[in-house]
Amino acid sequence: PPPPPQLQLNGALSLTAACLAVVLTSSQMPSDLDAFTQVLFSFELIILSPALRRRLRSSSFNLFAMSSVMMAAVAAALLLFFCDSLVTTMSFLFTAISIVFIAPAYYVSLQKFRSKINGPWDEAMPHIRLYEPLS
């Protein structure tokens, strides 16, 4: 019998969620022109940004890293400007730095304590014995 199909989520789900968020956000705009420009600009960013970032990363990693830092800085500046809360901005920056730098460094430092435990849950390991041909 064929193996059962596996549930696999692809980029269509995140694209659909982003489109829903854009439409819900733009529905609160005061005029139709504002809503149209919001939707158009957001869809351009949602669809074109991954391709641009992939191309940027393959061409120059330093430029990719600088653009990532700039995006986080712009997000923090906009958050500070619109929320007028230094605590919110600092918590955003702390969370971003923790996710990007501190958590991976901690994970790498824990690798030296890793040990391989074999048990019945592991996949079978084939033992291949080479025999001399019978003559």
Side-chain angles (χ1 to χ4, degrees):
Q6 297 207 0
L7 180 64
Q8 192 174 31
L9 299 176
N10 54 14
L13 181 66
S14 62
L15 182 64
T16 304
C19 291
L20 176 68
V22 167
V23 169
L24 289 177
T25 305
S26 65
S27 69
Q28 301 299 314
M29 293 290 169
S31 71
D32 291 340
L33 182 62
D34 291 341
F36 175 73
T37 55
Q38 168 80 17
V39 169
L40 187 64
F41 182 69
S42 298
F43 282 168
E44 285 177 2
L45 281 179
I46 290 168
I47 293 170
L48 298 177
S49 178
L52 175 67
R53 290 182 53 79
R54 197 175 307 118
R55 173 87 41 111
L56 194 61
R57 185 175 188 168
S58 66
S59 66
S60 170
F61 185 77
N62 290 336
L63 196 58
F64 172 75
M66 286 189 332
S67 71
S68 298
V69 169
M70 287 298 296
M71 283 193 298
V74 167
L78 288 173
L79 189 63
L80 184 61
F81 179 74
F82 286 115
C83 291
D84 289 332
S85 172
L86 187 61
V87 174
T88 305
T89 304
M90 294 309 282
S91 63
F92 165 74
L93 287 175
F94 176 73
T95 304
I97 289 171
S98 297
I99 290 171
V100 173
F101 296 112
I102 296 173
Y106 180 66
Y107 179 71
V108 168
S109 72
L110 290 178
Q111 291 299 311
K112 61 185 169 191
F113 300 116
R114 190 174 100 180
S115 61
K116 181 164 172 89
I117 301 172
N118 294 325
W121 55 83
D122 289 332
E123 294 180 11
M125 296 286 291
H127 296 286
I128 301 172
R129 291 183 230 155
L130 298 176
Y131 294 101
E132 293 181 10
L134 298 172
S135 52

